[in-house]
Amino acid sequence: MPEQKSPPGGKPNGNDGDLRVIGHARRRVDARAKVTGQTRFADDISLPRMAHCKLLRSPHPHARIRSIDISRALAHPGVYLVLTGKDLPIEYGILPVSQDEQALCLDHVRHVGDPVAAVIAREELTAFEALDLIQVDYEILTTISDPEEALATPTPRIHDYGDEGNIHKRVALEFGNVDQGFAEADEIFEDTFFYQGNTHLPIEQHASVATKDPDGKLTIWTSTQTPHYLHRALAKVLQMPPAHIRVIATPNGGGFGGKSDPFNHEIVVAKAALVLDRPVKICLTREEVFYCHRGRHPVLMKFKTGVKKDGSITAMHLQTLIDGGAYGSYGVASTFYTGALQTTTYHVPRYRFQGCRTFTNKPPCGPKRGHGTVQPRFGQEVQLDKIAEKLQIDPADLRLRIAESSNAVTANFFRLSTVNLSECIRRVVKSSDWREKFRKLPEGHGVGLACSAYLTGAGLPIYWNKMPHSGVQLKFDRGGGVTLFCGATEIGQGSDDVLASIVAEVLGLDTFDIRLYTGDTDLGPVDLGSYSSRVTIMAGNAALQAAERAKALIAEAVAERLSVPVERVRFAEKRVFDSAAPGNGVTFTEAVCLAEARFGTIGTVGSYTPPKSPALYKGGGVGPSPTYSYTAAVVEVVVNPVTGWITVPKIWIAHDIGRALNPTLVRGQVEGSVYMGLGEALMEEQEFRRLPKKLSHALVHKFPSILEYKSPTSLDMPDVFTELVEEPDPKGPFGAKEVGQGPLLPIMPAVANAVYDAIGVRIDEVPITPEKIMKALAEKKAGRAPRFGPSHFPHVEWPEALRVPPPWEGGDGNAINDVPRRDKAKPEQPHKSRTPEKDQVLSS
C-alpha cells in the first residue's frame, strides 16, 4: 500500500524532564517536558487559565496508523499538551453490545474525520496551527462505500466484531404464517424504496468545557442529550469512580438525536483537564459536526404486502439494508427499529421482518428524530397509496378501514393504549377539503396523504435493570419555594416547562414558583436522557408522583389545622383550603410550614418505570412503549413539469397528543417536525463522493457545510394547519402523549404521494429532487414505468427467523424456535467490546 504522511517534522522530545504539582498549578522544572507514552507537556502552564482543544482528523476513509510523531506540535509556542490514542485506549459506545469507539484512534481510522490526536493550547488558533505539525504515517486500506460493497467485501473488516465480515447486525423475525397470508391475498404488491441519509443540523454545534475541581473530581459542561450515559462512558474510559464525575448538560441549541451518544471530544477534554489541572474547552466547527454525524441511516427497503379486495392486509414482508457508517452507535437498535413499528399503525395479522446493518467507511449513523422508523414509514405509506389506486379505493378510506384500534396487541406483541388515528385522518380530510381535491386538481397540482405512529418513550433502558427510568426530587422551603431536581435534559423541546407545569398543577402554584435543576448528574436523580420522546411520560410521571406525595403530607397538616377531613382539602391559587368553605384556609407558604412542623423537613421523590411488555422474544426489547402517538397529514404540492421544481404551499396535520399540557409548545413541536420533514423530503442528503485518484481517491462528504448542505429556510415553509386530537391517555401524566417526533414521519410520504397526484410519476426515494422528477417524466413520455427509484434489493444471507405466533394464534410473546428470554433483569455490568451479543436487545 502507498505510504501517506503529513508534512515532515522533527524528532520527539527526550525523557529527561520532570513535572511537579504545587497546589492546582503546574510548573516546568526542566526546559524539556516529560514524556509518558504519547502524553507530553510543553510551554509554561503555571496559570490555570482556560485552554482550548482541537482535534486532528484522518484525511483517509480507511487506514492503519503506522506511527504518529507529535514532537513539532509539542514544541509549538502556546501548546500545553498533545494527546493520542495511547492516552485513551479504552473503548466505549452508547450500547453495551457495541463498545467500539476510541476517543482518539489508536491504530485504525475508519472514516474521513476520525480523530487521531488532540492539541490543547493557550488559544484555539494556536491549537489549530499545531495540528499541521503532527506527522501521521498511514497504511491505506480498502474503502467500503455502501452496503452492497460491504456485503461483497468481507475483508478487510472495519471492525473485528459483528455478525460476519462487514455486516454489523442481521435480524429475522416472523409473526404468524406469512406465506399462508400471501396465499390468501387477492393482490400482492412488491416495491423497493430508498431513503437517503441526512443529518440533524442543529443551530448549536457540539461544545464542551471540562475542569478538575479542587478536590480532584471532574466536572464537564457539555451539549448532550444523555448526561447519564456520558457519565458512564467517562467513568469507563478515564477509569474513575462515577461518584467523582459530574456531567452538566447545558441547555441545547437543538439536538434531534445528534447529541445522544457519548462523543470523543467530550472524553478528550475531560482527560486533558485532569492532566493539566485547568479548564479545557472545545467547540466543534460545522464541518466537524458533519463528521460526528449519528444522523439518519440510508436504508434500502423491499416491501411485499398482500391485501384483500377491500384493502385489508393479509401479510407483510419487509426487508431493510442499512448503511451504518463506521461505528455501532445505536445501530443494533436502529436495525430493529426499521421494522418494529409497521404493525402499530395498521392491522397486520402476519408479518415477517428481515434487517441487515452494514459497516461502511463513512461517519457513523445513529438516532435522528423518529429513529429508525422514518425510512420504513416512507415505504409503507407510498405503497399503501399504490394499493389504494389499484383497488380503486380512496387512500383516506383505505387507511380508515385498516387502522389499528385502541388497547390492541399487535402481531409482534406491542400493547397499544389509546389509538386515535382514524380521528386524525378524518380531521385532515375535512380541513384540507381532500374529497374535492384528490385526483381533481389541474395538472401539476396535487395532494397526498400519509399517516404514522411513534413511541411515547422506549419501554426498556439501554442497560437492562430493574431501576426506574426517571426520578424526580422535590424540596420545599419555609418561604413556600419548591425546587425540582431531575436528570432530564432540556434540548429546546420544553421539558423543563412540562415538569414545572405538572408540579404546579398538583400544588396549585404558578410554574414561575417552581425552580428547576435538570441535566446535572450530581444534583438530580437519574433520568436516562432526552430521546425516544420519553421525557414527558417518564420524567413527567415521576414529577407527578413526587408532587402527589408532597400534596398528601401538606394536606394532612392543613386538615389538622383547619379541623376538616383531609378529603376536603384543596390546592389552588397558591392557597390550601377547605373545599366546603374556600375562605377557610392558609397560604401555600403557611401550609408548607405546618407540614414541616408536623413531619420535619419536607422533601419527596417520585420515579417511573414503564409497564412490562408482552414481547418476550429476542428483539422484543425494541419497539415497546407505554403508549403510542398517531399522526395524519395532507400535503399540497405544485410541480413544474418543465423544470421539475416542487413548491409546497399548504400542509394540514392532525396529531393524537393524548392531552396537550402546553398547547403552544405542542404546536411548535408539530410545526418543527413539518419543517424537518420537508427538508428530508425535498433536499437534505448526507452524500459522499470519491476524490480523484491523484488526490487520494478518498471517500469524502460532498457538502459538509450549511452553505452547501441544503435545508429549508423560513421562506420555504408552507402554511401549516395543525389540529390536536385530545383524548387523555391513562399512561401519560394528565393524559399526555409524545409530540416531539411522531409528526415528522408522515410528511415525506405525503409529499411523494402528492407529487404522483400532481404529475403522475412515482418518486420512490428521498430526497425528491427536480432531477429525479425530470427523469421519471422522461420515462413516462417514453412509455415506460413512470417512476424513479431503486430497481433491486441485493441478496443477503438471512439467519433463520425467530418464529413468534401472534396473539390471535395463541402466542405468548415467546419464539417457538428459541429459548424464551428470562424474566429477570440483566445484571448491570458493562459488556466488553467485541464480544458476541448477549441474549438481549437494547432499546434506544
Side-chain angles (χ1 to χ4, degrees), residues 383-694:
Q383 188 182 63
L384 278 176
D385 213 58
K386 298 179 181 183
I387 292 172
E389 182 176 45
K390 180 68 179 293
L391 299 180
Q392 297 183 336
I393 302 174
D394 184 289
D397 292 334
L398 173 63
R399 288 168 171 83
L400 286 169
R401 292 181 187 183
I402 62 177
E404 265 294 6
S405 56
S406 296
N407 303 312
V409 177
T410 66
N412 51 346
F413 283 88
F414 296 163
R415 183 182 288 113
L416 310 181
S417 186
T418 56
V419 177
N420 286 291
L421 177 59
S422 295
E423 180 60 20
C424 290
I425 295 171
R426 285 191 283 266
R427 294 273 190 99
V428 294
V429 164
K430 180 179 179 180
S431 61
S432 67
D433 202 14
W434 169 267
R435 307 288 184 189
E436 300 304 316
K437 292 180 178 177
F438 179 65
R439 298 291 192 264
K440 298 177 182 178
L441 294 176
E443 180 72 14
H445 296 252
V447 290
L449 184 146
C451 302
S452 69
Y454 197 67
L455 313 164
T456 300
L460 288 171
I462 290 173
Y463 289 80
W464 284 11
N465 57 70
K466 292 184 177 181
M467 290 181 283
H469 292 211
S470 187
V472 166
Q473 293 176 330
L474 296 179
K475 179 184 75 70
F476 295 77
D477 64 55
R478 297 175 187 180
V482 180
T483 306
L484 182 150
F485 301 92
C486 181
T489 309
E490 175 62 70
I491 59 171
Q493 83 281 39
S495 62
D496 280 2
D497 179 84
V498 165
L499 296 177
S501 298
I502 289 171
V503 173
E505 180 69 21
V506 173
L507 300 177
L509 303 174
D510 292 334
T511 54
F512 188 70
D513 297 324
I514 314 299
R515 185 182 295 274
L516 294 96
Y517 292 94
T518 56
D520 188 325
T521 59
D522 257 18
L523 297 184
V526 167
D527 177 88
L528 298 184
S530 291
Y531 62 90
S532 291
S533 287
R534 57 175 301 284
V535 176
T536 292
I537 193 165
M538 298 196 183
N541 272 322
L544 180 62
Q545 185 183 75
E548 291 286 0
R549 287 173 172 172
K551 181 179 180 180
L553 292 173
I554 296 170
E556 185 176 340
V558 172
E560 182 179 82
R561 165 62 67 89
L562 301 180
S563 300
V564 299
V566 71
E567 294 80 13
R568 282 171 34 190
V569 174
R570 297 291 184 270
F571 290 66
E573 298 180 348
K574 302 184 184 182
R575 294 182 68 249
V576 184
F577 55 88
D578 180 5
S579 61
N584 183 25
V586 298
T587 66
F588 183 78
T589 300
E590 292 171 326
V592 171
C593 291
L594 290 172
E596 185 172 343
R598 172 80 185 276
F599 300 108
T601 301
I602 303 300
T604 58
V605 298
S607 58
Y608 178 78
T609 302
K612 184 180 176 182
S613 169
L616 303 176
Y617 54 91
K618 182 179 179 180
V622 178
S625 178
T627 185
Y628 299 82
S629 72
Y630 293 85
T631 313
V634 170
V635 173
E636 183 176 330
V637 301
V638 179
V639 184
N640 186 324
V642 177
T643 64
W645 191 260
I646 307 168
T647 304
V648 181
K650 294 180 180 179
I651 292 178
W652 298 265
I653 187 166
H655 183 68
D656 172 17
I657 183 64
R659 174 177 284 171
L661 302 185
N662 184 322
T664 300
L665 287 179
V666 168
R667 291 178 183 275
Q669 287 290 305
V670 172
E671 292 176 12
S673 289
V674 169
Y675 164 83
M676 188 169 280
L678 276 179
E680 296 193 24
L682 299 177
M683 60 190 76
E684 293 192 39
E685 53 182 339
Q686 181 94 342
E687 186 61 275
F688 294 79
R689 63 186 176 90
R690 291 277 195 180
L691 292 177
K693 284 190 176 181
K694 64 181 180 179

Side-chain angles (χ1 to χ4, degrees), residues 693-766:
K693 284 190 176 181
K694 64 181 180 179
L695 294 180
S696 77
H697 206 216
L699 185 70
V700 298
H701 201 295
K702 196 172 182 179
F703 19 63
S705 76
I706 294 183
L707 178 65
E708 299 159 301
Y709 181 95
K710 300 306 178 186
S711 182
T713 69
S714 59
L715 298 178
D716 299 305
M717 271 297 283
D719 293 331
V720 180
F721 303 90
T722 302
E723 296 206 35
L724 304 179
V725 177
E726 293 193 76
E727 178 195 348
D729 190 291
K731 303 295 176 59
F734 296 109
K737 297 203 284 189
E738 80 87 32
V739 67
Q741 303 185 65
L744 177 145
L745 277 74
I747 302 302
M748 294 72 71
V751 170
N753 293 338
V755 167
Y756 181 75
D757 187 44
I759 56 174
V761 299
R762 291 284 181 190
I763 310 299
D764 287 342
E765 65 175 59
V766 293

Side-chain angles (χ1 to χ4, degrees), residues 51-67:
H52 295 265
C53 177
K54 295 299 290 184
L55 300 177
L56 178 67
R57 297 179 181 275
S58 168
H60 307 293
H62 200 195
R64 296 281 181 195
I65 299 173
R66 289 181 177 142
S67 64

Side-chain angles (χ1 to χ4, degrees), residues 146-163:
D146 59 55
E148 289 197 56
E149 209 172 332
L151 293 174
T153 312
T155 58
R157 299 187 74 180
I158 296 175
H159 289 282
D160 58 9
Y161 81 103
D163 282 4

Side-chain angles (χ1 to χ4, degrees), residues 173-324:
L173 299 168
E174 184 165 355
F175 306 92
N177 190 329
V178 174
D179 292 335
Q180 180 183 339
F182 286 132
E184 295 174 0
D186 295 322
E187 298 279 356
I188 295 177
F189 295 80
E190 294 191 61
D191 293 282
T192 307
F193 303 94
F194 176 66
Y195 202 105
Q196 179 59 280
N198 48 68
T199 198
H200 313 83
L201 217 66
I203 293 296
E204 178 204 43
Q205 294 144 219
H206 297 254
S208 304
V209 175
T211 189
K212 186 164 77 172
D213 298 340
D215 57 3
K217 297 177 181 177
L218 172 70
T219 299
I220 180 169
W221 294 262
T222 186
S223 50
T224 180
Q225 296 176 234
T226 54
H228 171 65
Y229 291 121
L230 174 58
H231 189 257
R232 296 183 66 114
L234 288 168
K236 179 185 179 185
V237 177
L238 301 176
Q239 296 184 293
M240 290 179 65
H244 294 178
I245 299 172
R246 181 183 185 185
V247 177
I248 300 173
T250 56
N252 282 200
F256 314 114
K259 298 170 182 175
S260 298
D261 287 70
F263 284 98
N264 43 50
H265 64 271
E266 295 169 317
I267 297 172
V268 167
V269 295
K271 175 69 173 181
L274 292 171
V275 172
L276 293 174
D277 198 4
R278 68 170 65 213
V280 179
K281 176 181 179 179
I282 188 168
C283 182
L284 301 190
T285 65
R286 180 62 63 179
E287 183 176 354
E288 289 180 298
V289 175
F290 277 92
Y291 296 146
C292 286
H293 194 39
R294 317 302 162 122
R296 187 87 69 214
H297 286 77
V299 179
L300 181 67
M301 299 160 278
K302 183 177 180 181
F303 276 84
K304 181 179 180 181
T305 304
V307 297
K308 292 288 190 180
K309 291 180 180 179
D310 65 357
S312 58
I313 297 172
T314 61
M316 179 183 291
H317 180 193
L318 169 60
Q319 294 175 289
T320 63
L321 181 59
I322 306 162
D323 186 340

